[in-house]
Amino acid sequence: MLMASITRNELHPTHVSSIQNNSTSSEIPYGSYVLSVTYDGSKRTACLKMYYPKTRKIFLSHDNTGHLPYCFSNLSKEELEKINKLRNHPGFDHMELSKKYDPLMDKEVVMTKIVAKDPLAIGGRYSNHIRDIIPKAWEANIRYYNCYTYDQQLFLGMPYRVENGNLLLAEYHLPQDINSDMKKLFEAEDETFRNYIDSWMKLFQYPIPSIYRVALDIEVAQPVENRIPDSREAKEKIIAVSLVDSDKKKRVLLLKRPSVKMGKGDLSQVDVEFYDNEKELILEIFKILNQYPVVLTFNGDDFDLRYIYNRALNLGFQRHMIPIELQLRSTSLKYGIHIDLYKFFFNKAIQIYAFRKKYSRLTLNSVAKSILGIGKIEIETSPSRLTYVELVNYCLMDSELTFQLTTFDDELVMKLIIVLMRISKMPIDDLIRQGVSSWIRNLMYFEHRRLNILIPRSEDILHLKGQTTTKSIIKGKKFKGAIVVNPKPGVHFNIAVLDFASLYPSIIKIYNLSYETILCSHSECKLNMIPDLPYWVCNKRKGLFSTIIGSLRDIRVKWYKKKVKDYSLTRSLRNLYNVVQLTLKVLLNASYGVMGAENFTLYCPPLAEAVTGIGRYSITKTIEKANSLGIEVVYGDTDSIFLKSPTQHQIDELLSWSEKELGMELEIDKHYRYSVFSTLKKNYLGVYDNGDVDIKGLTGKKRHIPDFLKTAFMEMISILGEVKSPSDFERAKIKIKKIIRTCNDKLKKKQYNLSELALNIMISKTPDKYVKTTPQHVKAALLLVNAGYEIRPGDIISFIKTTNDLGVKPIQLATIREVDTNKYRNYLESTFEQVLDALSMDFNEIMGIQKLESFFSNAS
DNA sequence: ATCTATGGCAAGCCGA
DNA sequence: TCGGCTTGCCAT
């Protein structure tokens, strides 16, 4: 409905036509990429933002979404009667009957569509009327309309062209070699599956445009230090704005202030502009915001753009003059698109799967440092006290880093965003601000609509499929998860680690798992049981979820992952393939999780349970098989097993057994020269053949422990990396002893400074919200609050263990004299013991010998 | 108008 | 003093 109603004449850029000076045509040109669709619910209009790479402009189309209907499934005769009487209602236009497939019942249902004359009638008195006469049906489908691809199947992030006033997806054919690859790889699959493969490939292989964009950062006068300016009040002046764009143009706009000195330094790389008053400065910002299709910020939703908006209001601007729109939690632009990179990098799935947890703190500085390797300039005072030159450099650094976050690795982040748009069918604005569950929900809804399948309500799924039957090991969880094998403590040489290539998605594919196929309504299927669980799976119909996740998995594992390693391809092509591979990884890893999340609209507990259940079954069987082949399994977790000195033949046997018996691809993931296990699960260390060391779960690596411990621990690690054979251990052990001793010595002599001693723990709520207990970092945070600091959720509290009665003090308030050396010695002990144990070394013994030695050295 | 899941460890809090 | 519970961080 949305797209069909767009005609040539309606495609006019509205209030921004003046700034599109080089485009006289009002139609959307061939190859314009759809970046965003937003709906204004109250006005029943949609705003389409399309980007045309050639002119680097955005085209806006404000489109009437027309007569939004209500759809109800399976109304009774009486209800239909009542609706017929509605025909006299002034809001009523017409009624249509159509058919949809109900996946839960596996049958066709009749849909009743009621269309209102006046779109505004919906949500008003007319809708109340409908609710009154068909209360049951009212619940049916309202959620149906909240999706961005209503009715028309619009591909976000894809190029369109205009033909006869309609938007059409630009044609694109897969290259012949890819086509034949696909044919070869998937010839065993059925037609539906192959069709999915084909359409995914098209989505991923379409060209990805480079988007013209600017990064923006503002500085605000700061009368009180340690106090973050409030973007809601916007009381202080905006003193500087920095901009970095795709043309590498750097600009800094400065507010003239009488007391500020110019200062010294080189500014030849920057265009610096002075403004006599703030209003002019803000006008210039507005001009810029209307000039770029994409504006990047780091935390602009909450700060920069919000501040500019409110500041503008304070200075007497009218709302319609401001090219910014405030939402509750986000800030958008009237012309272009605002990407708040903070929100994107905040996304857990992105952090873990796309960036392998490279950054541990969510500040521009930390993210930039760990991803780009560049840090920010630290300033001692508030920006207000800087000279102009200092201010320019300081402010510019922020937007430069922000910009670079989207350019490193051949524009990895921008490409990631576009590929995600294409899979999830979501506009940028929402995509970067919402979590992975929304992405998957949207993707699933899109497929339902495309195939004319009724989107079920959560209540219906829950009612039909029921709750879980297994008990979790951890208290308070909903169902049983994965198996972790008890490790065999000690040092093991020659370890091969095998794992299943994306275990859970494989299970979803192979066992045909989907909310509609598990516990399906056919009695014949009840024999098709899932191992060790009281659930059966349909063998009459292919599950939608299963096909979608399965095809995505196969594409990633069988094609993209392989192509990334194909060095005959160009670097940029491999890079592109890597982007797709990463994107799929993010989605696939979340695919099982969402099914077990209450908030997910297709929440289906037995499904999630079946996935982990089959997972447990698979790894258990594999371990049994390994043992029967005479291989010793030293450890295993969820989808991996660690084998001690297996022969190539044994491995081959195991791999082919898995392929044949389980239908799953078991692979060699990595090989350790040796590994060190303690008695603890999820705690080990593995040394690769090249000497690199994998550290898993050990305390010495965790984010919150003091730096002095981390450094000492890493010293030990590098020594372990040098060990090549059992005989090397003796020398290594001596070196390790030395490390621990010197560390202890330095502790005693108080040679570490406060920042090396500080524990760094994130506070996840505001301090007053901790009611059940008051952990130490919260105690420290409260001291900070008393001292006038502002503490927000997500802040990292750095504190020292001290001898005062609280036991802690924040680093800002502590002195070296108060340090509780005993406590730190205990940390030293527990951190190292995890490894020492396995090396059959003893911490106290090391310390004991130390006493003797120092006795001798003192005596001599 | 949102926030994938469970398993496991260390440390500390706090009531019994 | 003990043990259950809370918190944060990590593995998969």
Side-chain angles (χ1 to χ4, degrees):
Chain A
M1 173 161 278
L2 163 63
M3 283 309 107
S5 69
I6 291 184
T7 65
R8 257 174 223 273
N9 292 337
E10 284 170 19
L11 293 175
H12 56 277
T14 54
H15 55 280
V16 292
S17 55
S18 58
I19 58 163
Q20 296 188 331
N21 40 23
N22 59 353
S23 79
T24 49
S25 161
S26 64
E27 77 183 50
I28 295 176
Y30 182 94
S32 300
Y33 287 79
V34 187
L35 295 187
S36 152
V37 189
T38 47
Y39 282 88
D40 183 334
S42 61
K43 290 182 194 146
R44 302 285 158 198
T45 54
C47 173
L48 199 64
K49 292 182 181 175
M50 298 187 67
Y51 175 63
Y52 188 52
K54 282 190 187 148
T55 56
R56 310 203 293 194
K57 296 287 179 198
I58 286 267
F59 284 84
L60 293 172
S61 133
H62 290 271
D63 187 43
N64 197 328
T65 54
H67 299 197
L68 271 185
Y70 294 93
C71 292
F72 303 113
S73 63
N74 274 3
L75 293 186
S76 66
K77 269 191 186 146
E78 293 159 359
E79 284 163 335
L80 272 173
E81 274 303 300
K82 286 181 186 169
I83 288 174
N84 261 323
K85 284 182 191 154
L86 249 189
R87 286 178 187 282
N88 301 326
H89 190 282
F92 188 93
D93 190 83
H94 67 281
M95 179 169 82
E96 292 165 21
L97 296 181
S98 61
K99 280 187 177 167
K100 258 190 205 298
Y101 171 71
D102 179 349
L104 289 178
M105 294 307 178
D106 186 23
K107 63 179 184 198
E108 297 244 291
V109 291
V110 178
M111 296 296 295
T112 311
K113 192 193 263 187
I114 309 170
V115 183
K117 255 181 208 145
D118 173 10
L120 290 177
I122 292 178
R125 236 175 303 171
Y126 179 66
S127 63
N128 286 336
H129 207 126
I130 295 180
R131 179 165 40 189
D132 287 344
I133 54 175
I134 33 174
K136 177 199 100 189
W138 172 258
E139 302 159 11
N141 254 319
I142 287 307
R143 221 182 283 111
Y144 191 86
Y145 300 106
N146 279 342
C147 224
Y148 306 99
T149 53
Y150 164 67
D151 221 9
Q152 282 291 320
Q153 302 284 303
L154 184 62
F155 290 87
L156 280 294
M158 298 289 269
Y160 275 78
R161 63 194 168 89
V162 180
E163 201 176 281
N164 299 329
N166 287 320
L167 276 172
L168 296 177
L169 189 59
E171 278 140 39
Y172 174 80
H173 297 286
L174 282 177
Q176 197 47 53
D177 56 328
I178 295 184
N179 256 334
S180 62
D181 273 4
M182 294 302 125
K183 216 168 253 167
K184 245 181 278 164
L185 284 172
F186 299 106
E187 61 187 351
E189 304 287 349
D190 62 31
E191 201 192 328
T192 331
F193 196 87
R194 286 207 311 272
N195 285 341
Y196 267 103
I197 297 284
D198 195 59
S199 45
W200 289 131
M201 285 311 286
K202 273 192 180 160
L203 278 188
F204 304 149
Q205 295 298 125
Y206 255 85
I208 293 181
S210 170
I211 302 178
Y212 183 50
R213 58 193 185 274
V214 68
L216 171 145
D217 181 69
I218 67 168
E219 297 300 332
V220 172
Q222 210 177 339
V224 188
E225 267 168 67
N226 299 328
R227 185 76 29 116
I228 303 120
D230 189 333
S231 61
R232 263 153 257 275
E233 299 193 358
K235 275 188 183 151
E236 305 299 332
K237 286 179 181 161
I238 296 174
I239 55 173
V241 181
S242 66
L243 303 146
V244 175
D245 75 6
S246 305
D247 295 335
K248 304 212 168 103
K249 208 160 71 183
K250 295 169 189 174
R251 284 174 77 185
V252 178
L253 321 182
L254 290 174
L255 182 67
K256 266 193 198 158
R257 286 168 300 150
S259 54
V260 181
K261 292 201 181 99
M262 191 60 206
K264 276 183 195 160
D266 176 28
L267 294 180
S268 56
Q269 305 298 310
V270 203
D271 288 338
V272 181
E273 300 153 36
F274 283 94
Y275 290 82
D276 290 323
N277 68 62
E278 219 184 338
K279 264 190 156 177
E280 280 173 38
L281 176 75
I282 287 180
L283 267 175
E284 185 59 27
I285 301 176
F286 290 172
K287 236 172 100 187
I288 292 161
L289 292 178
N290 275 332
Q291 202 177 316
Y292 289 92
V294 166
V295 176
L296 308 165
T297 63
F298 198 86
N299 204 22
D301 273 353
D302 281 333
F303 187 69
D304 302 64
L305 288 191
R306 198 172 288 272
Y307 199 99
I308 294 169
Y309 184 91
N310 286 326
R311 188 66 190 160
L313 284 185
N314 287 347
L315 292 176
F317 283 90
Q318 304 269 298
R319 274 168 214 277
H320 68 86
M321 299 160 80
I322 309 175
I324 300 173
E325 275 168 350
L326 296 192
Q327 280 93 41
L328 201 60
R329 262 171 278 269
S330 64
T331 314
S332 59
L333 297 168
K334 284 180 182 158
Y335 170 64
I337 286 163
H338 170 217
I339 297 183
D340 184 344
L341 289 171
Y342 173 81
K343 291 271 168 71
F344 186 67
F345 282 100
F346 186 82
N347 188 314
K348 264 258 150 67
I350 294 292
Q351 282 179 37
I352 295 173
Y353 297 115
F355 296 106
R356 291 199 214 112
K357 271 176 110 190
K358 269 193 191 158
Y359 50 96
S360 52
R361 300 182 185 202
L362 266 168
T363 59
L364 179 57
N365 195 12
S366 150
V367 176
K369 225 185 215 162
S370 43
I371 293 182
L372 309 171
I374 323 167
K376 195 172 141 173
I377 308 165
E378 298 287 349
I379 50 164
E380 298 294 317
T381 60
S382 81
S384 320
R385 301 218 184 107
L386 300 175
T387 64
Y388 284 130
V389 171
E390 286 169 332
L391 182 60
V392 166
N393 284 326
Y394 177 71
C395 185
L396 190 64
M397 194 62 175
D398 275 9
S399 43
E400 219 163 328
L401 291 178
T402 306
F403 189 78
Q404 282 188 37
L405 285 180
T406 66
T407 53
F408 75 94
D409 251 4
D410 225 359
E411 311 217 324
L412 174 85
V413 167
M414 293 308 283
K415 289 177 182 166
L416 206 60
I417 290 174
I418 296 206
V419 175
L420 270 171
M421 281 174 78
R422 291 181 180 178
I423 302 182
S424 68
K425 277 82 181 172
M426 280 171 90
I428 291 191
D429 318 53
D430 300 320
L431 175 86
I432 59 149
R433 291 175 176 85
Q434 292 180 15
V436 66
S437 68
S438 309
W439 304 346
I440 296 177
R441 188 239 295 136
N442 237 45
L443 157 64
M444 290 294 289
Y445 278 18
F446 186 90
E447 284 308 311
H448 280 77
R449 296 209 177 91
R450 188 174 70 83
L451 301 167
N452 199 30
I453 298 175
L454 183 73
I455 296 168
R457 293 179 293 164
S458 303
E459 309 94 278
D460 293 337
I461 300 179
L462 220 52
H463 179 245
L464 265 142
K465 313 289 175 173
Q467 289 293 343
T468 55
T469 54
T470 55
K471 266 222 179 95
S472 63
I473 291 178
I474 300 175
K475 227 176 130 187
K477 304 283 183 187
K478 285 165 292 193
F479 56 92
K480 200 181 214 117
I483 286 180
V484 187
V485 180
N486 260 318
K488 298 207 169 132
V491 176
H492 305 282
F493 275 82
N494 186 9
I495 294 289
V497 183
L498 307 193
D499 72 353
F500 291 105
S502 35
L503 176 68
Y504 288 169
S506 304
I507 290 174
I508 290 169
K509 179 194 171 191
I510 293 156
Y511 285 78
N512 192 25
L513 295 180
S514 188
Y515 70 85
E516 78 275 20
T517 50
I518 192 160
L519 298 169
C520 67
S521 53
H522 319 112
S523 53
E524 308 92 292
C525 299
K526 292 189 180 173
L527 291 173
N528 190 19
M529 297 297 288
I530 290 170
D532 306 329
L533 283 172
Y535 302 142
W536 65 89
V537 188
C538 188
N539 47 24
K540 294 180 128 184
R541 283 187 169 274
K542 284 274 180 191
L544 190 57
F545 188 65
S546 172
T547 318
I548 294 174
I549 298 301
S551 51
L552 286 174
R553 186 217 92 108
D554 279 11
I555 287 182
R556 177 172 118 92
V557 173
K558 295 187 179 173
W559 206 76
Y560 280 99
K561 271 190 93 175
K562 303 255 153 73
K563 287 288 168 185
V564 173
K565 288 181 198 149
D566 182 349
Y567 291 96
S568 67
L569 301 172
T570 63
R571 208 184 59 86
S572 79
L573 201 55
R574 286 209 318 273
N575 191 286
L576 182 68
Y577 292 161
N578 189 42
V579 171
V580 177
Q581 182 270 125
L582 279 176
T583 315
L584 291 177
K585 187 176 174 187
V586 172
L587 252 96
L588 291 169
N589 277 310
S591 63
Y592 128 81
V594 293
M595 284 298 174
E598 284 116 324
N599 292 327
F600 187 60
T601 41
L602 301 173
Y603 173 51
C604 184
L607 180 54
E609 216 179 353
V611 174
T612 58
I614 297 167
R616 291 194 296 276
Y617 170 81
S618 310
I619 193 173
T620 315
K621 287 284 169 211
T622 309
I623 292 170
E624 281 171 15
K625 181 66 187 175
N627 286 333
S628 82
L629 286 170
I631 318 173
E632 187 184 352
V633 178
V634 246
Y635 181 63
D637 186 345
T638 313
D639 61 353
S640 62
I641 52 171
F642 291 56
L643 308 179
K644 184 158 184 171
S645 325
T647 64
Q648 188 59 46
H649 177 71
Q650 285 173 318
I651 292 180
D652 292 341
E653 284 274 291
L654 196 60
L655 297 194
S656 61
W657 168 85
S658 159
E659 183 76 48
K660 214 167 109 199
E661 298 299 318
L662 301 175
M664 285 198 280
E665 294 156 76
L666 194 60
E667 300 175 331
I668 301 181
D669 180 30
K670 50 197 174 188
H671 183 265
Y672 293 138
R673 183 194 295 155
Y674 73 95
S675 67
V676 180
F677 286 99
S678 65
T679 54
L680 301 177
K681 294 170 172 180
K682 295 186 190 281
N683 270 275
Y684 67 88
L685 181 159
V687 180
Y688 289 103
D689 298 312
N690 66 4
D692 288 353
V693 187
D694 236 2
I695 313 163
K696 300 288 183 179
L698 299 175
T699 306
K701 184 189 132 173
K702 293 195 174 175
R703 174 175 79 176
H704 68 273
I705 70 151
D707 276 347
F708 87 94
L709 268 177
K710 241 183 254 181
T711 322
F713 190 80
M714 292 319 288
E715 279 175 37
M716 176 179 73
I717 295 299
S718 69
I719 284 169
L720 288 173
E722 287 163 16
V723 173
K724 297 224 160 70
S725 65
S727 58
D728 290 343
F729 266 113
E730 291 317 309
R731 249 183 308 147
K733 283 183 183 175
I734 294 170
K735 286 188 195 161
I736 291 170
K737 277 179 197 164
K738 209 175 201 172
I739 292 170
I740 297 173
R741 279 184 207 148
T742 37
C743 188
N744 191 50
D745 272 356
K746 283 176 87 174
L747 255 185
K748 265 199 244 162
K749 293 181 192 152
K750 303 213 171 189
Q751 283 172 348
Y752 290 115
N753 60 37
L754 284 179
S755 75
E756 288 172 302
L757 291 170
L759 286 103
N760 310 294
I761 298 183
M762 192 189 64
I763 188 161
S764 52
K765 304 181 269 193
T766 49
D768 54 296
K769 294 238 171 72
Y770 287 82
V771 277
K772 285 172 179 154
T773 55
T774 314
Q776 296 201 316
H777 64 293
V778 179
K779 286 183 177 152
L782 285 167
L783 291 177
L784 280 177
V785 171
N786 283 340
Y789 286 82
E790 204 176 334
I791 302 294
R792 292 182 301 181
D795 285 350
I796 304 243
I797 309 293
S798 294
F799 63 94
I800 308 288
K801 298 286 250 179
T802 53
T803 45
N804 64 350
D805 31 328
L806 266 184
V808 289
K809 258 192 185 182
I811 188 166
Q812 293 90 331
L813 308 177
T815 59
I816 202 90
R817 243 173 300 132
E818 306 167 275
V819 172
D820 187 341
T821 314
N822 262 334
K823 278 272 180 336
Y824 282 101
R825 205 203 92 110
N826 290 343
Y827 278 133
L828 182 68
E829 177 170 359
S830 58
T831 306
F832 276 88
E833 200 127 56
Q834 288 181 331
V835 178
L836 294 185
D837 244 13
L839 299 178
S840 48
M841 292 165 76
D842 184 76
F843 184 82
N844 286 318
E845 208 173 288
I846 293 171
M847 289 303 145
I849 294 165
Q850 149 117 49
K851 271 176 201 152
L852 260 175
E853 262 180 14
S854 58
F855 170 78
F856 282 124
S857 64
N858 285 342
S860 65

